[in-house]
Amino acid sequence: MLNRILPVLALGATVLFAVARADALLDVGGKYLGDGHQQLGTAILMGLPDPDVWVSYGMPGTPLALALLRRLPDTAARACLLGLELSVPFLAFLLGAALESTTCGWLSLLAALVLVPLAPVPLENSLETLLYASLLLLVARALVWRAREHSPAATFVLAFTLLATLLVRSPLDFFPAVLLADDLRRDASWNTVRAAAPLFWVPLLLLLPWAFLNWRMCGRIIFLENGRSALNIVTGAMGLVETYPGGHNHAMWFANLQPGDSVALWAVRRVLEHPWPYLLALPFRLMLFMKQQPLWLAAGAACLWLRRGREEY
């Protein structure tokens, strides 16, 4: 009975969500497409240095998406945004179905339709958040495939999904090393290292054009962001629970650094010289994180506990 009702509920909820969001996009399209990253995306598309744009500050995925959307007619741009929004519940369905069952997939879709609009950062205020959420779900789905089937195809698909996330944000830059460590835990051999090698060289190879562009426009070889996380690093090393709005210049001022100084090296020295503020702030940061997404974290923890014996989890 449940297997018959859930698809109808999920599809009905999806239609209602699409209608509501299509209407809302008439008002929030400007918030999406008026993002300040657009100037950066245009500079990247043209391949021309812009004195008013710090090209290497962030990854190129979001700026390029904004610049390309700006070139579309309004109706087409809003249709693309709506499709991107609907990709989150659709990918949630695919992930739930792959992990457990089709019923779990429908429930995941319904949960995404209900909970995603309640996220602390409204999706209409950040195209980057929406892109990154979709790509993380793709990575999760690829991880399930690779956990069940350690084939070259599964590894390459996972490598390309990891690359896609790196083109938007860089938190998963060390994730291939984590996956390799997990593989070696099960089978410590050179065959394991060779099988996991695409997780490293595929993203690195395909990030070379971005590094070359940064070298041409900035005079330095830069594979990831350059300065975007500086303020988070500085405030974290100082033991502050929350960061402050601002960019690289604010971080340099906070840390009393001069142009050319390394924020990362300053943070290491700061934590080694004054470890207690940093360590004492850690539990408060964890509580802040849990407070922002309690439902998702509780659901994820319950899932991991109930299915802790399965490799896919």
Side-chain angles (χ1 to χ4, degrees):
M1 185 66 176
L2 186 62
N3 292 336
R4 296 179 180 179
I5 295 176
L6 276 178
V8 176
L9 288 176
L11 292 175
T14 303
V15 171
L16 291 175
F17 179 86
V19 171
R21 295 305 298 147
D23 183 63
L25 285 176
L26 295 175
D27 298 322
V28 304
K31 294 181 181 179
Y32 269 122
L33 303 180
D35 196 290
H37 288 300
Q38 182 210 341
Q39 190 178 3
L40 172 57
T42 302
I44 295 172
L45 283 176
M46 300 297 293
L48 300 173
D50 188 330
D52 298 324
V53 176
W54 187 352
V55 173
S56 61
Y57 179 76
M59 298 305 291
T62 303
L64 283 173
L66 283 164
L68 291 171
L69 283 171
R70 270 297 187 189
R71 294 167 180 257
L72 296 175
D74 286 347
T75 303
R78 292 189 178 102
C80 290
L81 292 173
L82 179 59
L84 193 56
E85 285 197 350
L86 289 174
S87 71
V88 174
F90 175 72
L91 291 169
F93 167 79
L94 293 181
L95 181 59
L99 279 171
E100 192 63 40
S101 64
T102 305
T103 300
C104 182
W106 291 122
L107 290 172
S108 299
L109 187 149
L110 285 169
L113 290 173
V114 173
L115 296 178
V116 167
L118 302 178
V121 179
L123 293 183
E124 64 267 18
N125 290 338
S126 177
L127 176 63
E128 186 177 63
T129 301
L130 183 60
L131 277 172
Y132 198 61
S134 299
L135 292 173
L136 283 179
L137 286 169
L138 279 175
V139 170
R141 180 62 185 89
L143 278 171
V144 174
W145 183 19
R146 187 171 183 268
R148 291 178 175 172
E149 177 187 327
H150 277 269
S151 64
T155 300
F156 270 96
V157 169
L158 178 57
F160 278 102
T161 57
L162 287 171
L163 167 69
T165 68
L166 292 177
L167 290 173
V168 178
R169 292 179 184 172
S170 63
L172 295 184
D173 50 354
F174 291 107
F175 195 54
V178 175
L179 294 174
L180 176 59
D182 184 61
D183 290 346
L184 291 172
R185 178 181 58 85
R186 294 192 303 267
D187 181 15
S189 67
W190 282 111
N191 289 334
T192 300
V193 176
R194 284 194 296 269
L199 297 175
F200 294 86
W201 67 258
V202 167
L204 180 63
L205 183 65
L206 296 179
L207 282 172
L208 283 176
W210 171 242
F212 179 71
L213 177 65
N214 281 322
W215 176 67
R216 288 291 303 272
M217 299 181 72
C218 307
R220 296 170 54 194
I221 296 177
I222 302 168
F223 279 92
L224 300 174
E225 296 106 332
N226 178 32
R228 180 174 181 176
S229 60
L231 191 57
N232 289 336
I233 294 173
V234 168
T235 54
M238 295 175 69
L240 301 179
V241 177
E242 296 188 60
T243 189
Y244 288 90
H248 184 265
N249 292 334
H250 293 83
M252 302 296 283
W253 179 81
F254 258 64
N256 195 25
L257 296 175
Q258 301 301 318
D261 291 345
S262 171
V263 172
L265 291 178
W266 175 88
V268 171
R269 289 196 299 267
R270 169 79 184 194
V271 172
L272 290 177
E273 293 172 0
H274 307 282
W276 287 114
Y278 174 78
L279 294 174
L280 291 174
L282 288 178
F284 293 100
R285 290 198 194 101
L286 180 61
M287 287 188 291
L288 178 64
F289 168 69
M290 296 175 67
K291 180 182 177 181
Q292 289 179 338
Q293 294 285 4
L295 293 177
W296 287 114
L297 289 172
C303 182
L304 288 173
W305 175 255
L306 293 173
R307 295 293 184 267
R308 58 190 180 277
R310 291 176 54 177
E311 184 67 25
E312 300 93 313
Y313 286 81

